């Protein structure tokens, strides 16, 4: 076991603790890759020999230190590669590290019964195509001829799919820093099923992010949506913007698009979080001019609303959907 995938249960009030938590991981290995908004990959190949402990044992030490120093719990998946560690994370629980065996037979057994959608990089369209031909599990995909997969999904995609289904993990941990970002979260008082309330929470979060970005004279290039569920699991989606922006309406459209792309059906949602990443000075950003007078009007209204909020408070001006 050489790779850990760690996700911290990081409340909004603990967002400033993320650099320190990444520093904690670097005490065990210099090869740490931040996974915004609340995770990281750690390569422990040298650490296992240096500390004389297995990756699972080191994961227990990391969990205890994160709790003791920052009051933050975490879930950890371990595997011989980044893909397998990420997949193991989905089955991990607080206090229990899910580990994929290093032996090939163990890897094959771990993957065999999982649906094709569990494999990173397999989207809805690819999964639908495979399922139409009875390839609905990774075990069946692994046993299918390479030529068959390539006919179904294409030459390169078929080869990658065949390798991944057979446990061939070519991913690497790429060290990086904490992304420049702003985050806001909207927790619900109780686990929420109503899609309308989900959308209002996203609207509120996007409005706040936009106002904060404009106050800092920043624009963001990427928006990340994290949905936390009642069972403490979470789903994250990121989308690069067509152009860097701090325009609340543009951020809201992207947030709605990511939410609808998840296809949540009666999901019990505990919280929704939006993170604006890739921040740059607004003066350096380019903006595609539009002949639509409505867009220019909305932006001018936004400027006036920002001045009103700065003078009378954040709730002085807000979308009608949030007035209640």
């Amino acid at each position: 076991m050489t790779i850990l995938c760690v996700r911290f249960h990081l409340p909004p009030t603990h967002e400033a603790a993320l650099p320190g938590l990444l520093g904690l991981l670097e005490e065990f290995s210099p090869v740490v890759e931040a996974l915004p908004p609340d995770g990281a990959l750690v390569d422990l190949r040298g650490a296992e020999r240096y500390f004389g402990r297995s990756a699972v044992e080191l994961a227990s030490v990391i969990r205890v230190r994160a709790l003791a120093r920052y009051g933050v719990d975490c879930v950890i998946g371990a595997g011989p590669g980044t893909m397998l560690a990420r997949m193991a994370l989905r089955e991990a629980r607080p206090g229990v590290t899910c580990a994929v065996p290093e032996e090939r037979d163990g890897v094959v057994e771990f993957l065999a019964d999982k649906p094709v959608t569990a494999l990173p990089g397999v989207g809805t369209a690819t999964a639908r195509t495979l399922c139409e031909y009875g390839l609905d599990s990774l075990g069946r995909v692994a046993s299918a001829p390479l030529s068959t997969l390539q006919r179904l999904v294409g030459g390169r995609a078929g080869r990658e799919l065949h390798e991944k289904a057979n446990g061939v993990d070519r991913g690497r941990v790429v060290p990086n820093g904490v992304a420049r970002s702003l985050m806001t979260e909207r927790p619900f008082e109780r686990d929420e099923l109503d899609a309308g309330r989900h959308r209002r929470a996203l609207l509120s979060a996007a409005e706040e992010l936009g106002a904060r970005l404009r106050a800092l004279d920043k624009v963001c290039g990427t928006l990340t949506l994290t949905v936390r569920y009642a069972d403490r699991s979470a789903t994250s989606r990121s989308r690069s913007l067509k152009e860097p922006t701090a325009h609340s309406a543009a951020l809201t459209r992207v947030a709605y698009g990511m939410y609808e792309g998840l296809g949540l059906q009666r999901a019990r949602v505990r919280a929704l979080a939006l993170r604006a990443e890739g921040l740059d000075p607004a003066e350096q950003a380019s903006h595609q001019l539009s002949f639509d007078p409505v867009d220019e009007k909305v932006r001018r209204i936004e400027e006036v609303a920002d001045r009103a909020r700065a003078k009378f408070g954040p709730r002085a001006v807000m979308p009608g959907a949030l007035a209640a």
Side-chain angles (χ1 to χ4, degrees), residues 4 80 95 197 304:
L4 296 184
R197 291 181 181 271
V304 175

Side-chain angles (χ1 to χ4, degrees), residues 6 9 41 156-157 178 212 225 244 270 280 284 309:
V6 185
H9 292 306
L41 287 168
R156 180 177 178 181
V178 183
R212 290 168 63 186
L225 166 66
R270 183 158 295 177
D280 288 309
Q284 297 179 9
R309 283 190 284 259

